[in-house]
Amino acid sequence: MSSRILQTKFPGVVDGFIGAIGRTPLIRLESLSKETGCNILAKAEFQNPGGSVKDRAAYYVVRNAEMNGTLRRGGTVVEGTAGNTGIGLAHIARARGYRCVIYMPNTQSQNKIDTLRYLGAEVFPVPAVAYTNPENYNHQARRHAESIPNAVWTDQFDNVANLQSHYETTGPEIWEQTGGKVDGFTCSTGTGGTFAGITKFLKEKSEGRVSSFVADPPGSVLYSHFKTKGEKPDNSGSSFTEGIGQGRITGNMQSTYGLIDDALRIPDELSINMLYRLLDEEGIFLGGSSTLNVVAAVEMAKILGPGKTIVTILCDSGHKYATRLFSRSFLEAKGLYHAIEPQYKKYIVLP
Ligand SMILES: Cc1ncc(COP(=O)(O)O)c(C=O)c1O
Ligand SMILES: N[C@@H](COC(=O)CCC(=O)O)C(=O)O
């Protein structure tokens, strides 16, 4: 199976924005590998042309709508998103000549809203209400698409073209880059497309040998849902991370739920310290979902034991969140400032 999204006849030359998606490096995190006695490997998805792991899913949901005829020349792509899927879609819409309309919760970093507007998208930041509320950003996006001709709601949460992008590209890339010597995979979920697609591919390719742990921030339901076999789902709490955390089992997660080996709940205190640690020790500048994933990889390494190779995902860089992650008042408001280890306090350079 090819992990290439688009190829040209020239070796090393890709075709436009879409051709530049994927084939990201797998980085060995040295200090954490040394500390755990495992290979902690992290896929540098921030190197995608739109800056996040979501470029892959954005391309697949648009391509799916084109192939099934719901999106035609000059049409409009509408999506509900925490921002990154929207950024991928906005780039692809420009490249393909579509309009792009984005609904997102108004709790997200301003930088994502600004970026979407620079890319020509029409953005509606709306109050962050539960999925069960008809005013949730996803339902507003669906209604918007239904209200205009030649428009498609790409429905990233339940549209399995999302997980298919990772099954056909990210999973095979990880397998190839590790020479098949991967023992464990873990990452957090928003739609669950990344987790589900990679898990499905690695499980199939390794005939079940690769373990897969889902990682959850506080306020997300998956950890409790998995641990209590659906009996006591609990999504109380909240997190400073963006783009992850879920109140329901999405269509993308449903299809792979039975393949999950275990679930990890990662406290914000660990994710935020890992953010500064990776900057301090490895020189890598990441967003909170990525650093949560790295904490989860370390936890998984402890559970599987020394000598194993664990892979996780670096979803995006820290740039979009910098005015929050380096601000003392933001961290204090989230109750996290006190938890930052003394050697990392020097990074909190904004008031
Ligand atoms: C920063 C970030 N991390 C993680 C994710 C989760 O990816 P997925 O929707 O595939 O679960 C997203 C979703 O866009 C994201 O924006
Ligand atoms: N990562 C995706 C989806 O985002 C989320 O699932 C965040 C949680 C939620 O808002 O329901 C994106 O960035 O669009």
Side-chain angles (χ1 to χ4, degrees):
M1 181 182 297
S2 167
S3 74
R4 292 177 179 252
I5 281 183
L6 278 187
Q7 279 179 296
T8 68
K9 61 183 175 179
F10 305 107
V13 176
V14 298
D15 221 351
F17 179 92
I18 291 166
I21 300 172
R23 301 175 305 282
T24 54
L26 198 51
I27 301 174
R28 183 169 182 274
L29 299 175
E30 286 186 38
S31 65
L32 294 168
S33 297
K34 199 166 164 202
E35 196 173 286
T36 56
C38 287
N39 284 307
I40 306 288
L41 308 183
K43 192 117 171 85
E45 289 297 295
F46 55 82
Q47 290 202 13
N48 280 304
S52 88
V53 65
K54 298 299 302 200
D55 288 354
R56 297 181 193 254
Y59 172 53
Y60 267 59
V61 293
V62 169
R63 192 184 67 161
N64 185 56
E66 289 172 340
M67 288 190 317
N68 67 25
T70 48
L71 183 62
R72 297 176 305 282
R73 186 180 262 279
T76 304
V77 175
V78 189
E79 185 56 286
T81 167
N84 274 332
T85 304
I87 291 169
L89 287 172
H91 279 284
I92 291 161
R94 290 267 57 80
R96 290 277 227 251
Y98 301 125
R99 287 178 59 228
C100 182
V101 175
I102 296 299
Y103 283 79
M104 59 190 282
N106 61 10
T107 49
Q108 303 301 294
S109 293
Q110 184 62 33
N111 183 295
K112 289 192 279 192
I113 298 174
D114 295 341
T115 303
L116 282 162
R117 290 184 172 143
Y118 303 147
L119 295 172
E122 192 178 353
V123 189
F124 296 93
V126 298
V129 295
Y131 186 76
T132 46
N133 184 323
E135 296 312 310
N136 174 274
Y137 64 103
N138 288 293
H139 305 312
Q140 295 209 47
R142 175 180 42 76
R143 290 197 297 270
H144 189 117
E146 285 166 358
S147 72
I148 54 174
N150 191 14
V152 65
W153 172 49
T154 39
D155 187 16
Q156 60 163 334
F157 290 88
D158 295 321
N159 178 352
V160 293
N162 172 353
L163 83 80
Q164 194 67 15
S165 70
H166 298 285
Y167 179 80
E168 289 183 10
T169 71
T170 331
E173 286 171 27
I174 291 170
W175 188 261
E176 227 174 81
Q177 287 167 314
T178 57
K181 293 190 171 53
V182 48
D183 299 296
F185 171 70
T186 183
C187 78
S188 52
T189 72
T191 63
T194 309
F195 176 83
I198 295 173
T199 294
K200 185 165 180 270
F201 179 84
L202 294 179
K203 286 281 184 190
E204 281 177 17
K205 195 75 182 171
S206 69
E207 297 176 349
R209 181 184 56 78
V210 176
S211 297
S212 189
F213 289 8
V214 70
D216 235 12
S220 183
V221 82
L222 284 177
Y223 172 83
S224 59
H225 194 280
F226 181 83
K227 289 291 191 185
T228 68
K229 297 187 170 48
E231 301 263 307
K232 283 193 184 160
D234 170 21
N235 62 351
S236 55
S238 66
S239 171
F240 80 96
T241 57
E242 293 187 35
I244 54 171
Q246 194 41 256
R248 68 188 179 101
I249 310 299
T250 62
N252 279 284
M253 279 306 282
Q254 256 163 31
S255 61
T256 314
Y257 198 82
L259 298 179
I260 301 173
D261 291 295
D262 206 350
L264 302 167
R265 177 174 283 159
I266 309 298
D268 270 5
E269 288 78 1
L270 296 184
S271 303
I272 193 84
N273 273 298
M274 185 60 83
L275 195 140
Y276 308 118
R277 179 174 175 183
L278 289 168
L279 186 53
D280 209 60
E281 292 180 358
E282 308 265 358
I284 308 177
F285 181 34
L286 297 166
S289 68
S290 307
T291 64
L292 181 151
N293 286 350
V294 174
V295 175
V298 170
E299 293 301 309
M300 190 174 198
K302 288 181 196 158
I303 294 166
L304 297 190
K308 302 288 195 233
T309 295
I310 316 289
V311 175
T312 193
I313 303 294
L314 305 181
C315 312
D316 67 356
S317 77
H319 296 85
K320 285 172 286 207
Y321 318 104
T323 55
R324 293 180 168 191
L325 299 174
F326 297 87
S327 154
R328 181 172 177 151
S329 53
F330 174 82
L331 294 166
E332 279 176 348
K334 293 281 172 196
L336 289 173
Y337 184 74
H338 74 279
I340 293 165
E341 292 169 24
Q343 70 274 27
Y344 302 137
K345 285 248 165 58
K346 65 183 179 209
Y347 288 108
I348 319 304
V349 292
L350 300 176

